[in-house]
Coordinates of all heavy atoms in Angstrom, one line a residue:
T57 N -1.2 -0.8 3.3 CA -1.9 -0.3 2.1 C -0.9 0.0 1.0 O -1.2 -0.1 -0.1 CB -2.8 1.0 2.4 OG1 -2.0 1.8 3.4 CG2 -4.1 0.6 3.0
T58 N 0.3 0.4 1.4 CA 1.3 0.7 0.3 C 2.0 -0.6 0.1 O 3.0 -0.9 0.7 CB 2.3 1.7 0.8 OG1 2.0 2.1 2.1 CG2 2.3 2.9 -0.1
R59 N 1.5 -1.4 -0.9 CA 2.0 -2.7 -1.2 C 3.2 -2.6 -2.2 O 3.9 -3.5 -2.4 CB 0.9 -3.5 -1.9 CG 0.0 -4.1 -0.9 CD 0.0 -5.6 -1.0 NE -0.7 -6.1 0.1 CZ -1.9 -6.6 0.1 NH1 -2.6 -6.5 -1.1 NH2 -2.5 -7.1 1.1
H60 N 3.2 -1.5 -2.9 CA 4.2 -1.3 -4.0 C 5.2 -0.3 -3.5 O 5.0 0.6 -2.7 CB 3.5 -0.9 -5.3 CG 2.6 -1.9 -5.8 ND1 3.0 -2.9 -6.6 CD2 1.3 -2.1 -5.6 CE1 2.0 -3.7 -6.9 NE2 0.9 -3.3 -6.3
T61 N 6.4 -0.3 -4.2 CA 7.4 0.6 -3.9 C 7.0 2.0 -4.4 O 7.1 2.2 -5.6 CB 8.7 0.1 -4.5 OG1 8.9 -1.2 -4.1 CG2 9.9 1.0 -4.1
V62 N 6.6 2.9 -3.6 CA 6.4 4.2 -4.0 C 7.7 5.0 -3.7 O 8.1 4.9 -2.5 CB 5.3 4.9 -3.2 CG1 5.0 6.3 -3.6 CG2 4.0 4.1 -3.3
R63 N 8.2 5.7 -4.6 CA 9.4 6.5 -4.3 C 9.1 7.9 -4.4 O 8.5 8.4 -5.4 CB 10.5 6.2 -5.3 CG 11.0 4.7 -5.3 CD 12.1 4.6 -6.2 NE 12.7 3.3 -6.2 CZ 12.2 2.3 -6.9 NH1 11.2 2.4 -7.7 NH2 12.8 1.1 -6.9
G64 N 9.4 8.6 -3.3 CA 9.3 10.1 -3.4 C 10.7 10.6 -3.5 O 11.7 9.9 -3.0
I65 N 10.9 11.7 -4.2 CA 12.3 12.1 -4.5 C 12.5 13.5 -3.9 O 11.7 14.4 -4.2 CB 12.6 12.1 -6.0 CG1 12.5 10.7 -6.5 CG2 14.0 12.6 -6.2 CD1 12.6 10.6 -8.0
V66 N 13.4 13.7 -3.0 CA 13.7 15.0 -2.5 C 14.9 15.6 -3.2 O 16.0 15.1 -3.2 CB 14.1 14.9 -1.0 CG1 14.3 16.3 -0.4 CG2 13.1 14.1 -0.2
H67 N 14.6 16.7 -4.0 CA 15.6 17.4 -4.7 C 16.2 18.5 -3.9 O 15.5 19.4 -3.5 CB 15.0 18.0 -6.0 CG 14.5 17.0 -7.0 ND1 15.4 16.2 -7.8 CD2 13.3 16.6 -7.3 CE1 14.6 15.4 -8.6 NE2 13.4 15.6 -8.3
R68 N 17.5 18.5 -3.8 CA 18.2 19.6 -3.1 C 19.4 20.0 -3.9 O 19.8 19.3 -4.8 CB 18.7 19.2 -1.7 CG 17.5 18.9 -0.8 CD 17.9 18.3 0.5 NE 19.2 18.7 1.1 CZ 19.4 19.1 2.4 NH1 18.4 19.0 3.2 NH2 20.5 19.5 2.8
D69 N 19.9 21.2 -3.7 CA 21.1 21.6 -4.4 C 22.3 20.7 -4.2 O 23.0 20.4 -5.1 CB 21.5 23.1 -4.0 CG 20.5 24.1 -4.4 OD1 19.6 23.7 -5.3 OD2 20.4 25.2 -3.9
D70 N 22.4 20.2 -3.0 CA 23.6 19.4 -2.6 C 23.3 17.9 -2.7 O 24.2 17.1 -2.5 CB 24.1 19.8 -1.2 CG 23.0 19.5 -0.2 OD1 21.8 19.5 -0.5 OD2 23.3 19.3 1.0
A71 N 22.1 17.5 -2.9 CA 21.8 16.1 -2.8 C 20.4 15.7 -3.5 O 19.6 16.6 -3.7 CB 21.8 15.7 -1.4
Q72 N 20.3 14.4 -3.8 CA 19.0 13.9 -4.2 C 18.8 12.7 -3.3 O 19.5 11.7 -3.3 CB 19.1 13.5 -5.6 CG 17.7 13.1 -6.1 CD 17.7 12.8 -7.6 OE1 18.4 11.9 -8.0 NE2 17.0 13.6 -8.4
L73 N 17.7 12.8 -2.5 CA 17.3 11.7 -1.6 C 16.1 11.0 -2.2 O 15.1 11.6 -2.4 CB 17.0 12.3 -0.2 CG 16.5 11.4 0.9 CD1 17.6 10.4 1.3 CD2 16.1 12.2 2.1
I74 N 16.3 9.7 -2.4 CA 15.2 9.0 -3.0 C 14.6 8.1 -2.0 O 15.3 7.3 -1.4 CB 15.7 8.1 -4.2 CG1 16.2 9.1 -5.3 CG2 14.5 7.3 -4.8 CD1 17.5 8.6 -5.9
L75 N 13.3 8.3 -1.7 CA 12.6 7.5 -0.6 C 11.9 6.3 -1.2 O 11.1 6.4 -2.1 CB 11.6 8.4 0.1 CG 12.2 9.8 0.6 CD1 11.1 10.6 1.1 CD2 13.2 9.5 1.7
V76 N 12.3 5.2 -0.7 CA 11.7 3.9 -1.2 C 10.8 3.5 -0.1 O 11.2 3.4 1.1 CB 12.8 2.9 -1.3 CG1 12.2 1.6 -1.9 CG2 14.0 3.4 -2.2
D77 N 9.6 3.2 -0.4 CA 8.6 2.9 0.6 C 8.4 1.4 0.6 O 7.8 0.8 -0.3 CB 7.3 3.6 0.3 CG 6.4 3.8 1.5 OD1 7.0 3.8 2.6 OD2 5.2 3.9 1.4
T78 N 9.0 0.7 1.6 CA 8.8 -0.8 1.7 C 7.5 -1.1 2.3 O 7.0 -0.3 3.2 CB 9.9 -1.4 2.5 OG1 10.0 -0.7 3.8 CG2 11.2 -1.5 1.8
P79 N 6.8 -2.2 1.9 CA 5.6 -2.6 2.6 C 6.0 -2.9 4.1 O 7.1 -3.2 4.4 CB 5.2 -3.8 1.9 CG 6.3 -4.2 1.0 CD 7.3 -3.1 0.9
G80 N 5.0 -2.9 4.9 CA 5.3 -3.1 6.3 C 5.8 -4.5 6.6 O 5.4 -5.5 6.0
L81 N 6.8 -4.6 7.5 CA 7.3 -5.9 7.9 C 6.3 -6.4 9.0 O 6.1 -5.7 9.9 CB 8.7 -5.8 8.4 CG 9.4 -7.1 8.8 CD1 10.0 -7.7 7.6 CD2 10.4 -6.9 9.9
H82 N 5.9 -7.7 8.8 CA 5.0 -8.2 9.9 C 5.2 -9.7 10.0 O 5.7 -10.3 9.1 CB 3.5 -7.8 9.5 CG 3.1 -8.3 8.2 ND1 2.4 -9.5 8.0 CD2 3.5 -7.9 6.9 CE1 2.3 -9.7 6.7 NE2 2.9 -8.7 6.0
K83 N 4.6 -10.2 11.0 CA 4.8 -11.7 11.2 C 3.9 -12.4 10.2 O 2.7 -12.2 10.1 CB 4.3 -12.1 12.6 CG 5.1 -11.3 13.7 CD 5.1 -12.0 15.0 CE 6.1 -11.5 16.0 NZ 5.7 -10.5 17.0
P84 N 4.5 -13.1 9.3 CA 3.8 -13.7 8.1 C 2.8 -14.7 8.5 O 3.1 -15.6 9.2 CB 4.9 -14.2 7.2 CG 6.0 -14.5 8.1 CD 5.9 -13.6 9.3
R85 N 1.6 -14.7 8.0 CA 0.6 -15.7 8.2 C 0.3 -16.4 6.9 O -0.3 -17.4 6.8 CB -0.7 -15.2 8.8 CG -0.6 -14.9 10.3 CD -1.9 -14.5 10.9 NE -2.5 -13.4 10.2 CZ -2.2 -12.2 10.4 NH1 -1.3 -11.8 11.3 NH2 -2.8 -11.2 9.7
T86 N 0.6 -15.6 5.8 CA 0.2 -16.2 4.5 C 1.4 -16.1 3.6 O 2.4 -15.5 3.9 CB -0.9 -15.3 3.9 OG1 -0.4 -13.9 3.7 CG2 -2.2 -15.2 4.7
L87 N 1.2 -16.7 2.4 CA 2.3 -16.6 1.4 C 2.6 -15.2 1.1 O 3.7 -14.8 0.9 CB 1.8 -17.4 0.2 CG 2.8 -17.5 -0.9 CD1 3.9 -18.5 -0.5 CD2 2.1 -18.0 -2.2

Side-chain angles (χ1 to χ4, degrees):
T57 36
T58 1
R59 279 242 168 98
H60 294 273
T61 307
V62 177
R63 295 185 178 85
I65 301 173
V66 183
H67 294 283
R68 295 169 37 132
D69 295 340
D70 60 336
Q72 189 177 61
L73 176 67
I74 299 139
L75 304 172
V76 186
D77 207 22
T78 48
L81 184 88
H82 54 101
K83 303 199 165 103
R85 282 187 308 279
T86 60
L87 184 70

